[in-house]
């Protein structure tokens, strides 16, 4: 049996930054334990060998493994304990949380902790969730799986490739496979806009003349043993394929980059409330879930575009978890509780509630919009009174947005709701 | 002759839309960028476009069969495949330190290829 103040589930960018945040918040490093199921810390960053990471955090452009190494070095330096190749099986909530984990060296581990931080990340939407007809031939991979084969194993999964979905991993893999000698014939995107960053459209597709087919999808996969080709059709505004627009693309490989889903089986198992919009836990201003002392950060909470944002959010979760562990009172914060509502195009907000007694001087509200906008403003209302508006030239579902609230703007106001909404500029 | 080019900046994830005005192939103005990186990118992109190449190199005796690498600085865009060919032809021995130079001058660019991760011996 192991007793700790704080157990962090997942040793990727979120888990590592959360651990550092907890130390910053006053916890002794040896009171923390990170549990990681892979052979090394760093999570998905290990296979993201492209550059573009760290511009916010380190003010320089790093590759994924370099970004992970910077955090790993801090974990080692602060001597924060972690266990690798260790799978968490369950979490039980309560005043003291019980975590059941296992690994090949120690068998089953019973771990007790005052606080838990969920930092399990997300997984890719699989073929089974996409309803594409056809057999189950070899040659269909999620973009992340292909990335693992190419970047960690040094193996190219195919030579003639079609990519469905224009999320960032799909775009990055279009370039990666091309550089490694494969021919990427097209990237098809169901929506009328790309889900990826603009810079990746330029440097991953345009640089290599790879066509991006917006409002298109794969309607059939040909091949029984191995993929022989896919049929791509245009779709209407309801995402329904338009008959007569089908075109056959011979290929041996289909990569799927159709969205990421927060991995919350453990959270559900301990009764944490999950948002139907993000697929991640509903959290308050401390990034604490509906279960007291269980916090969440990173892609398990909501899918981020940039690891820098994950690190920032996780650092905060770590600090808040440390505060929770170190606080003497058991009676909850009391005080005024505000609900944060996303309206008119704002799909969700993180956090979704703010307790005024626990709110810091500033509170970052992160959110995403449900469609593309041009020439608009983001307005923050306290009930029906406008607090302020921020003009935005463009907004897109693929880009996470934020507003920062000041405590002094909210203090002493007789309100229950903060509304964040998109308006005509 | 005056010419306008529309670019999307790749300097950071903001992806600013930049307009570059050229006169007789000389940049006369850059607009739409929000920072200095955008200005530099735009001027370079219309005269001498460059990219950082990231890839992997085969490893002997390491904990992983490959090591991730990058060109230490950006290289001319037109030489990306030449750089890839040279990176693909080299095999290195573990252990490898992060930042270790694995090719001094790749494809005659004067730019080094460095490891972006540590590889311990198996």
């Amino acid at each position: 049996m192991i007793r700790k103040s704080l157990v962090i589930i997942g040793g990727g960018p979120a888990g590592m930054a959360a651990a550092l945040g907890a130390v910053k918040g006053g916890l002794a490093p040896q009171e923390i334990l990170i549990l990681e199921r892979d052979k090394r810390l760093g999570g998905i960053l290990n296979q993201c060998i492209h550059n573009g990471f760290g511009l916010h955090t380190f003010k320089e452009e790093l590759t994924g493994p370099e970004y992970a190494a910077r955090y790993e070095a801090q974990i080692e330096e602060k001597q924060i304990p972690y266990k690798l190749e260790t799978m968490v099986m369950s979490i039980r909530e309560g005043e003291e949380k019980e975590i059941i984990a296992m690994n090949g060296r120690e068998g089953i581990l019973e771990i007790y902790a005052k606080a838990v931080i969920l930092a399990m990340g997300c997984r890719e939407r699989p073929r089974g969730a996409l309803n594409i007809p056809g057999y189950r031939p070899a040659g269909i991979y999620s973009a992340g799986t292909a990335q693992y084969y190419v970047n960690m194993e040094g193996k190219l999964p195919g030579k003639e490739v079609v990519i469905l979905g224009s999320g960032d991993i799909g775009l990055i893999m279009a370039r990666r496979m091309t550089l490694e000698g494969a021919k990427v014939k097209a990237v098809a995107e169901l929506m009328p806009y790309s889900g990826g960053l603009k810079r990746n459209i330029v440097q991953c597709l345009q640089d290599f003349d790879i066509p991006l087919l917006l409002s298109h999808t794969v309607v059939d996969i040909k091949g029984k043993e191995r993929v022989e080709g896919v049929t791509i059709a245009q779709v209407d505004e309801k995402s329904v394929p338009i008959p007569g627009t089908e075109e056959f693309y011979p290929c041996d490989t289909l990569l799927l980059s159709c969205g990421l889903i927060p991995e919350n089986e453990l959270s559900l198992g301990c009764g944490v409330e999950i948002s139907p919009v993000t697929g991640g836990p509903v959290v308050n201003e401390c990034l604490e879930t509906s279960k007291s002392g269980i916090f969440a950060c990173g892609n398990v909470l909501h899918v981020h575009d940039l690891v820098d944002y994950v690190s920032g959010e996780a650092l905060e979760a770590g600090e808040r978890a440390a505060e929770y562990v170190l606080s003497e009172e058991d009676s909850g914060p009391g005080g005024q509780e505000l609900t944060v509502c996303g309206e008119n195009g704002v799909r969700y907000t993180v956090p979704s509630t703010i307790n005024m007694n626990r709110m810091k001087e500033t509170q970052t509200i992160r959110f995403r919009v449900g469609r593309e906008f041009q020439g608009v403003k983001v307005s923050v209302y306290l009930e029906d009174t406008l607090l302020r508006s921020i003009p935005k030239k463009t907004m897109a579902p693929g880009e996470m947005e934020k507003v920062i609230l000041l405590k002094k703007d909210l203090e002493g106001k007789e309100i229950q709701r903060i509304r964040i909404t998109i308006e005509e500029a | 002759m005056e010419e306008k080019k529309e670019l999307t900046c790749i300097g950071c994830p903001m992806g600013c839309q930049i307009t570059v005005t050229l006169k007789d192939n000389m940049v006369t103005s850059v607009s739409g960028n929000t920072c200095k990186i955008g200005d530099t990118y735009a001027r370079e992109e219309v005269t001498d476009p460059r990219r950082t190449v990231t890839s992997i190199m085969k490893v002997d005796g390491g904990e992983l069969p490959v090591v991730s690498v990058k060109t230490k600085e950006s290289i001319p865009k037109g030489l990306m495949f030449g750089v890839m060919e040279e990176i693909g032809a080299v095999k290195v021995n573990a252990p490898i330190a992060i930042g270790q130079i694995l090719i001094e001058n790749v494809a005659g660019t004067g730019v080094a290829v460095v490891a972006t991760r540590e590889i311990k011996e198996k």
Side-chain angles (χ1 to χ4, degrees), chain A residues 95-132:
Chain A
E95 198 166 318
E96 198 172 43
K97 282 86 188 155
E98 181 196 65
I99 298 115
I100 304 294
M102 58 199 279
N103 66 39
R105 302 173 305 277
E106 299 161 289
I108 291 185
L109 301 163
E110 242 179 87
I111 307 166
Y112 292 90
K114 285 188 195 144
V116 169
I117 298 179
L118 306 171
M120 294 90 78
C122 59
R123 69 164 81 105
E124 297 177 279
R125 183 163 285 127
R127 180 189 172 187
L130 300 172
N131 295 324
I132 308 169

Side-chain angles (χ1 to χ4, degrees), chain A residues 339-349 351-352 365 367-368 418-422:
Chain A
T339 306
V340 187
C341 314
E343 293 176 3
N344 188 32
V346 176
R347 285 181 63 227
Y348 72 87
T349 64
S352 41
I365 310 279
F367 65 94
R368 275 185 201 275
I418 300 167
R419 295 164 46 225
I420 297 174
T421 176
I422 310 298

Side-chain angles (χ1 to χ4, degrees), chain A residues 174-359:
Chain A
R175 173 176 64 182
R176 189 75 191 101
M177 300 277 288
T178 305
L179 284 173
E180 288 292 349
K183 170 81 188 150
V184 178
K185 298 195 164 172
V187 175
E189 168 61 55
L190 182 71
M191 305 306 287
Y193 50 81
S194 163
L197 296 170
K198 282 176 238 151
R199 69 189 311 223
N200 285 338
I201 308 273
V202 174
Q203 60 183 356
C204 298
L205 299 187
Q206 289 171 9
D207 270 6
F208 303 98
D209 299 319
I210 299 168
L212 172 60
L213 310 171
L214 296 173
S215 300
H216 280 73
T217 193
V218 171
V219 292
D220 193 26
I221 301 170
K222 192 182 169 208
K224 202 165 178 183
E225 297 299 320
R226 175 84 200 189
V227 174
E228 289 165 26
V230 299
T231 305
I232 295 178
Q234 203 181 328
V235 298
D236 62 21
E237 58 281 2
K238 285 182 182 136
S239 301
V240 178
I242 303 169
T245 63
E246 296 89 354
E247 202 178 324
F248 184 71
Y249 286 75
C251 61
D252 58 26
T253 304
L254 173 66
L255 298 190
L256 306 172
S257 176
C258 302
L260 300 167
I261 306 160
E263 200 166 334
N264 274 295
E265 280 73 12
L266 288 172
S267 325
L268 282 164
C270 65
V272 161
E273 186 192 340
I274 301 291
S275 153
V277 183
T278 59
V282 174
V283 293
N284 63 22
E285 73 294 325
C286 298
L287 302 170
E288 186 184 28
T289 66
S290 61
K291 296 294 176 192
S292 168
I294 301 182
F295 298 78
C297 57
N299 282 352
V300 81
L301 176 54
H302 57 144
V303 176
H304 296 61
D305 329 319
L306 297 186
V307 71
D308 296 79
Y309 297 164
V310 167
S311 298
E313 183 181 274
L315 192 77
E316 215 177 298
E319 283 182 12
R320 292 299 203 152
E323 266 173 40
Y324 173 89
V325 168
L326 298 171
S327 82
E328 297 293 319
E329 48 185 306
D330 307 325
S331 55
Q336 194 183 0
E337 192 89 24
L338 306 179
T339 306
V340 187
C341 314
E343 293 176 3
N344 188 32
V346 176
R347 285 181 63 227
Y348 72 87
T349 64
V350 167
S352 41
T353 57
I354 297 175
N355 181 288
M356 286 304 292
N357 283 4
R358 287 196 298 205
M359 185 187 178

Side-chain angles (χ1 to χ4, degrees), chain A residues 11-13 16-17 19-20 23 29 34 40-42 45-46 58 62 64-82, chain B residues 98 118 120:
Chain A
M16 290 195 288
L20 296 170
V23 172
I34 304 173
R40 52 185 70 81
L41 293 174
L45 284 173
N46 284 306
F58 298 110
L62 301 172
E66 290 172 312
Y67 188 95
R70 298 257 174 127
Y71 276 88
E72 235 183 291
Q74 293 179 67
I75 298 284
E76 300 290 355
E77 188 213 311
K78 298 220 156 44
Q79 299 186 327
I80 300 171
Y82 57 84
Chain B
I98 191 165
E118 181 193 11
K120 295 191 181 95

